[in-house]
């Protein structure tokens, strides 16, 4: 009898220990009720170690489900993640409208500067229309360089370029071997392309995250496990290294229709910024890409284009002027000017009503610049925060031809020798 009591006691103790162990492993609910939805969610029960994704998306306001989807009341990980949008990247273009859309978010009106999704999905970076048109024209498949196809079918009813829709590019229906090879080997950089591995690192995410989630310096061994699960960031302070994940990985060889990675291993900013074959000026590698190229150039303006030259307009003269004209300026008089919103999202400069800043030929504010009292100018790097003073060309004794104010002309005298 005593033996049975001991055995029963031992079994009871093991049962209690088992229950205690299971309870210790059970997820303890951490409730969050975002102000935008008013609906409780339990995502922070497991994900309380993730940093705030950005200052403009505070967790108390947005929560997690409004962007990521998922089962908000589930405590089991598999069930909670079952209905998430695009895995860990809700900004993928296949789901971006559901994740980031809405009139008050990123699919509002152009007048309110909330049409980010429309502009991004129709941009050259998204459609890859220029590269597709170029390769098909080169090999005689189409009669000119006008875009007809994109990586995905896309429409832009309000397009001002004359192109209102592009059909999907399908390499399988192409008959030219070179175009078929292009479709197989070269569709790796557009914003819907799956990340590829370059030197042990994935180069970028898809959709909006391709630019706004910094990945260049992070080891992304896998998108499903490891470090990739800890990347939880959106930024407007986009370093040139993020742009380089597509624009400076190497070159395409038209003879073999293959991608050739960069052979060098740059050790400083000067050599990392541009490939050895490129010609550039000091300001071009000292600044970051976003310091010069505007939101319209980088993200598009909502129209469809055949190549990047049709939307690119920033040149040296935008900031430096010409021999006969000072650069265009803008006095900030409206506290609701888009310049203040942009400066708020990336607070590297303190703008005030009454400040005079530079502007593009289209009147867009170059909000990270200022006209100084002595008639010179200053630019603050959007990614570095460094203040860089500069002077106008007018009155400088520059010998540039008055009828040639392109950046290429400036390179003749100001290019850096490496």
């Amino acid at each position: 009898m005593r033996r049975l009591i001991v055995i029963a006691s031992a079994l009871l103790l093991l049962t209690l220990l088992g229950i205690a162990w299971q309870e210790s492993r059970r997820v303890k609910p951490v409730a969050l009720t975002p102000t935008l939805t008013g609906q409780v969610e339990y995502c922070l029960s497991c994900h309380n170690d993730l940093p705030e994704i950005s200052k403009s998306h505070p967790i108390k306001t947005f929560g997690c489900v409004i962007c990521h989807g998922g089962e908000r009341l589930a405590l089991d990980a598999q069930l909670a993640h079952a209905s998430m949008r695009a895995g860990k990247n809700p900004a993928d273009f296949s789901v971006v409208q559901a994740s980031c859309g809405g009139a008050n978010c990123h699919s509002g009106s152009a007048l309110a500067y909330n049409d980010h999704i429309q502009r991004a999905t129709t941009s050259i970076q998204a459609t890859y229309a220029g590269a597709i048109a170029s390769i098909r024209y080169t090999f005689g498949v189409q009669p000119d360089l006008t875009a007809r196809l994109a990586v995905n079918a896309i429409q832009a009813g309000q397009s001002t370029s004359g192109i209102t829709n592009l059909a999907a590019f399908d390499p399988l229906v192409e008959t030219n071997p070179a175009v078929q090879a292009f479709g197989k080997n070269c569709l790796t950089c557009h914003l819907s392309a799956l990340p590829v591995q370059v030197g042990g690192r994935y180069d970028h995410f898809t959709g909006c995250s391709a630019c706004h989630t910094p990945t260049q310096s992070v080891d992304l061994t896998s998108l499903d496990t490891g470090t990739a699960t800890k990347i939880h960031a959106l930024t407007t302070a986009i370093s040139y290294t993020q742009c380089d994940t597509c624009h400076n990985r190497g070159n395409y060889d038209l003879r073999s229709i293959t991608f050739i990675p960069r052979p060098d291993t740059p050790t400083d900013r000067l050599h990392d910024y541009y490939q050895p074959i490129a010609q550039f000026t000091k300001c071009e590698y000292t600044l970051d890409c976003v310091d010069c190229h505007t939101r319209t150039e980088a993200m598009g303006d909502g129209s469809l284009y055949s190549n990047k030259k049709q939307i690119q307009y920033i040149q040296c003269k935008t900031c430096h002027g010409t021999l006969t004209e000072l650069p265009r300026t803008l006095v900030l008089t409206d506290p609701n000017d888009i310049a203040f919103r942009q400066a708020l999202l990336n607070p590297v400069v303190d703008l005030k009503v009454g400040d005079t800043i530079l502007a593009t030929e289209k009147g867009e504010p170059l909000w990270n610049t200022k006209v100084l009292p002595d008639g010179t100018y200053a630019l603050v790097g959007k990614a570095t925060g460094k203040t860089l003073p500069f002077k106008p060309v007018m009155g400088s004794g520059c010998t540039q031809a008055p009828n040639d104010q392109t950046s290429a002309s400036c390179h003749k005298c100001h290019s850096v020798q490496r």
Side-chain angles (χ1 to χ4, degrees):
M1 178 64 70
R2 179 177 297 177
R3 184 178 180 183
L4 291 176
I5 293 175
V6 171
I7 293 174
S9 299
L11 290 174
L12 177 60
L13 178 60
L14 289 174
T15 300
L16 293 174
L17 288 173
I19 293 173
W21 180 78
Q22 288 180 342
E23 284 298 317
S24 68
R25 291 175 57 85
R26 190 185 300 275
V27 175
K28 294 178 174 58
V30 176
L32 171 69
T33 305
T35 56
L36 278 181
T37 66
Q39 296 182 320
V40 67
E41 56 187 58
Y42 291 109
C43 306
L44 295 184
S45 303
C46 294
H47 296 292
N48 59 2
D49 60 335
L50 285 176
E52 197 89 86
I53 193 166
S54 76
K55 291 182 179 179
S56 55
H57 297 81
I59 188 72
K60 291 182 180 180
T61 302
F62 287 81
C64 305
V65 175
I66 194 172
C67 297
H68 286 273
E71 300 301 317
R72 60 185 178 85
L73 300 179
L75 293 175
D76 174 76
Q78 186 173 358
L79 176 59
H81 295 169
S83 58
M84 282 182 64
R85 302 188 191 99
K88 296 178 177 66
N89 182 17
D92 184 272
F93 283 162
S94 64
V95 297
V96 69
Q97 189 63 51
S99 301
C100 310
N104 294 322
C105 290
H106 298 289
S107 60
S109 70
L111 291 177
Y113 301 104
N114 287 340
D115 58 335
H116 304 92
I117 293 176
Q118 168 64 16
R119 293 193 295 113
T121 53
T122 54
S123 69
I124 284 290
Q125 287 87 343
T127 65
Y128 216 49
I132 296 171
S134 179
I135 202 75
R136 297 181 85 243
Y137 171 73
T138 298
F139 291 98
V141 178
Q142 63 181 57
D144 53 45
L145 287 171
T146 301
R148 295 163 172 78
L149 304 174
V151 291
N152 295 302
I154 186 76
Q155 291 185 334
Q158 303 300 315
S159 180
T160 60
S161 66
I163 303 174
T164 57
N165 64 83
L166 296 169
F169 171 62
D170 184 358
L172 297 179
V173 303
E174 298 286 347
T175 57
N176 186 286
V179 179
Q180 292 174 343
F182 167 79
K184 179 181 179 181
N185 300 328
C186 302
L187 299 182
T188 61
C189 274
H190 61 83
L191 298 185
S192 295
L194 294 176
V196 296
Q197 215 169 4
V198 179
R201 297 174 184 270
Y202 284 97
D203 54 4
H204 60 78
F205 288 121
T206 57
C208 309
S209 300
C211 297
H212 291 285
T213 297
T215 58
Q216 177 68 6
S217 61
V218 181
D219 184 7
L220 302 182
T221 306
S222 170
L223 292 179
D224 299 314
T225 60
T227 310
T229 62
K230 298 300 181 184
I231 296 178
H232 193 252
L234 291 173
T235 182
T236 57
I238 302 170
S239 167
Y240 78 93
T241 56
Q242 193 63 23
C243 304
D244 276 1
T245 58
C246 274
H247 293 284
N248 202 6
R249 294 189 299 127
N251 293 291
Y252 288 99
D253 184 348
L254 280 177
R255 290 166 296 186
S256 61
I257 314 297
T258 55
F259 174 74
I260 310 298
R262 285 186 66 170
D264 60 324
T265 304
T267 58
D268 57 26
R269 186 181 180 98
L270 169 61
H271 292 80
D272 187 31
Y273 208 115
Y274 286 97
Q275 296 185 48
I277 61 173
Q279 190 179 40
F280 52 91
T281 62
K282 183 178 179 179
C283 67
E284 288 176 303
Y285 78 84
T286 304
L287 303 176
D288 286 276
C289 307
V290 295
D291 289 328
C292 292
H293 295 295
T294 67
R295 61 199 292 271
T296 300
E297 283 187 322
M299 289 180 61
D301 62 2
S303 295
L304 295 167
Y305 292 96
S306 294
N307 58 70
K308 68 177 183 180
K309 288 185 177 180
Q310 293 179 345
I311 195 171
Q312 181 180 329
Y313 49 87
I314 297 296
Q315 298 186 51
C316 302
K317 66 178 182 180
T318 303
C319 287
H320 294 280
T322 70
L323 291 169
T324 57
E325 294 182 354
L326 292 172
R328 183 169 180 168
T329 59
L330 173 68
V331 179
L332 296 174
T333 59
D334 183 356
N336 295 316
D337 195 293
I338 184 62
F340 291 109
R341 188 193 304 181
Q342 292 172 320
L344 178 66
L345 293 175
N346 189 5
V348 296
V349 62
D350 182 23
L351 285 186
K352 301 183 295 294
V353 172
D355 284 343
T356 301
I357 62 175
L358 297 182
T360 71
E361 63 185 50
K362 296 188 177 184
E364 298 166 290
L366 295 173
W367 59 269
N368 61 322
T369 65
K370 280 190 178 181
V371 180
L372 303 179
D374 63 358
T376 61
Y377 312 100
L379 178 147
V380 180
K382 295 177 183 177
T384 65
K386 294 181 179 179
T387 299
L388 302 169
F390 61 97
K391 298 179 180 180
V393 171
M394 192 170 73
S396 68
C398 175
T399 58
Q400 183 182 15
N403 62 345
D404 188 358
Q405 299 292 333
T406 63
S407 299
S409 181
C410 298
H411 286 155
K412 293 176 183 178
C413 292
H414 297 282
S415 61
V416 175
Q417 299 296 323
R418 294 192 295 176

